[in-house]
Amino acid sequence: MNTSPPARTTQQLFEESGLASSHEPIEMNEVDALLARHYRLSGRLERLATEKDDTFRLRTGSADHLVKVSPPDEPAAVVALQTAVMRHLETEAPHLPVQRVEKTIEGIDNVPVETKEDGIRVLRVLDFVEGAVLARTDPEPHQFAKAGHMLGQVDLALRSFRHPADDRRLVWDLRYFDRLRELIDHTPGAAHRRLAQEVFRLFRGTVVPRLDDLETQVIHGDYSPYNVLVDPRADGFVTGVIDFGDTMRSALIFDPAVSVANLLGRTASDPWREACSFVAGYERARPIKDTELPLLPVAALARLTLRALVTHWRAERVPERRDYLLEHARDDWVNVEQGMAVAPQEVVDRMLNTRHDTP
């Protein structure tokens, strides 16, 4: 395994994504004081594990809230983008169960927090959306289709959205995947490195030649089973869409690719089963171009490989978040291998058949 520093291009992407360093957690008594002063809220704070920001659940006795304090290296403009996306969806698609941002008593969306060590951070309060995360449920195929339909509706509502910061660069944006090949050298295990090399080969041959031609818009960016709340008893199944922290302008096909990547391998004997149901539901709201559908399986494999590679890289450098990172990526290599066992064209044919069979 290579322990040398990554090349400057890779390092810049990690820095711009807020993933290159750790920071001191904000003190809970400071958060308490800010909530009382700017929101007139008080109650019991509970710190939640997250990828990079400081996040809390606030229990007031009458209602729960989610409190987020941005990491110090995340620009205020990027936080404003995330808030603007939620505001846009609240206006353009109020029927969608998207997390809402709460205003301060001054009528603004956030509170700047100045720290001596880190500079300016941004505190926001959001409503706490109840429900079980999709990752911890065992849905039927028609319920995966409903989850896909919800993302399709979100993407449909975001078609017209624009923001000055929506062209932000993120490690997670698959537009940059081919530039991150050096992360393979930081990965323990020869078998994993060989698997990653094969995914990069597929991506370079299939997706890279098409990057400049793909339909683009602002996307959620991380519609994973941990950011979708569900109620199996509810007709609509999905009760909440949360965490717009990876919102960006990118290729539209990369949004369902994130979800497909996270669904790979749930059924070991049929690794693409849930993904095909999800895509069928997505297309009922936001049809995928026939010229772009063949890219979806490869993009999904690339996203899953990317998470495995980034997890290894970050777990060594941000030890305080190591457990969180490894938990969310614990089966990634197994799922990549299972997904690779099926030819991409076979997956595309199955998606087309599922599309035609779906009312």
Side-chain angles (χ1 to χ4, degrees):
M1 181 175 68
N2 183 2
T3 57
S4 61
R8 186 59 191 159
T9 300
T10 302
Q11 182 68 23
Q12 285 178 333
L13 269 175
F14 274 97
E15 289 172 357
E16 291 178 40
S17 305
L19 301 176
S21 62
S22 59
H23 61 267
E24 286 297 319
I26 191 168
E27 296 291 338
M28 293 179 71
N29 58 359
E30 183 178 1
V31 177
D32 274 326
L34 291 167
L35 292 173
R37 184 183 314 138
H38 295 284
Y39 291 90
R40 292 182 182 153
L41 289 173
S42 62
R44 181 163 61 90
L45 275 180
E46 172 190 353
R47 190 181 293 271
L48 305 177
T50 57
E51 183 182 38
K52 59 183 180 179
D53 57 15
D54 288 313
T55 301
F56 307 86
R57 181 175 184 170
L58 174 67
R59 303 175 189 267
T60 67
S62 58
D64 288 3
H65 308 268
L66 194 72
V67 182
K68 297 180 75 70
V69 182
S70 65
D73 49 3
E74 185 162 73
V78 169
V79 180
L81 163 67
Q82 298 161 11
T83 299
V85 164
M86 288 184 277
R87 291 286 183 211
H88 175 86
L89 291 170
E90 185 177 356
T91 301
E92 295 296 315
H95 60 289
L96 298 182
V98 172
Q99 200 163 32
R100 307 290 194 227
V101 181
E102 301 179 18
K103 289 187 178 294
T104 67
I105 59 174
E106 299 90 358
I108 57 178
D109 290 328
N110 60 66
V111 177
V113 182
E114 187 170 355
T115 63
K116 293 180 181 179
E117 301 85 4
D118 299 326
I120 301 295
R121 304 177 67 180
V122 179
L123 180 146
R124 290 176 298 163
V125 175
L126 302 91
D127 62 333
F128 192 90
V129 184
E130 296 289 348
V133 293
L134 177 61
R136 297 196 178 100
T137 61
D138 189 21
E140 298 293 330
H142 74 279
Q143 292 173 320
F144 280 111
K146 288 182 178 180
H149 188 246
M150 180 61 67
L151 178 61
Q153 292 180 87
V154 169
D155 282 344
L156 192 63
L158 287 176
R159 281 191 307 180
S160 62
F161 178 79
R162 301 286 187 279
H163 190 274
D166 66 22
D167 61 348
R168 61 186 297 209
R169 297 204 321 158
L170 276 176
V171 162
W172 302 117
D173 188 348
L174 289 177
R175 289 182 299 173
Y176 306 113
F177 178 71
D178 195 53
R179 306 182 195 179
L180 298 172
R181 183 181 292 265
E182 69 170 283
L183 289 178
I184 298 174
D185 297 333
H186 296 263
T187 300
H192 294 164
R193 291 195 294 273
R194 286 194 296 270
L195 199 57
Q197 288 165 351
E198 180 61 16
V199 174
F200 273 97
R201 185 193 67 77
L202 267 175
F203 190 87
R204 178 170 287 185
T206 305
V207 180
V208 171
R210 298 286 312 282
L211 282 176
D212 292 338
D213 303 325
L214 299 176
E215 181 178 2
T216 62
Q217 66 165 69
V218 171
I219 59 177
H220 181 284
D222 192 18
Y223 191 84
S224 81
Y226 287 95
N227 291 330
V228 182
L229 301 175
V230 300
D231 180 356
R233 300 164 299 180
D235 289 342
F237 185 56
V238 177
T239 60
V241 179
I242 63 174
D243 196 350
F244 285 79
D246 288 346
T247 285
M248 60 191 158
R249 180 173 297 279
S250 187
L252 176 62
I253 193 69
F254 294 158
D255 218 16
V258 172
S259 307
V260 170
N262 281 278
L263 295 177
L264 275 179
R266 282 181 70 111
T267 301
S269 61
D270 189 2
W272 293 89
R273 176 176 179 265
E274 288 80 3
C276 289
S277 296
F278 182 95
V279 172
Y282 178 89
E283 289 206 277
R284 289 207 299 271
R286 191 77 164 93
I288 298 172
K289 293 179 178 179
D290 289 342
T291 55
E292 295 190 5
L293 187 65
L295 309 184
L296 183 53
V298 177
L301 288 165
R303 172 65 186 223
L304 194 54
T305 302
L306 179 62
R307 186 171 68 184
L309 294 171
V310 169
T311 295
H312 286 300
W313 192 88
R314 288 201 72 214
E316 294 178 354
R317 292 159 178 79
V318 192
E320 68 273 17
R321 297 184 191 266
R322 178 182 177 86
D323 291 345
Y324 174 86
L325 294 167
L326 294 179
E327 167 63 22
H328 280 254
R330 61 181 178 178
D331 297 322
D332 284 354
W333 290 119
V334 172
N335 293 337
V336 170
E337 186 172 20
Q338 290 181 348
M340 290 282 287
V342 184
Q345 187 57 52
E346 184 178 336
V347 178
V348 173
D349 291 342
R350 184 169 177 180
M351 288 179 175
L352 286 170
N353 289 335
T354 307
R355 170 201 282 178
H356 296 149
D357 293 340
T358 302

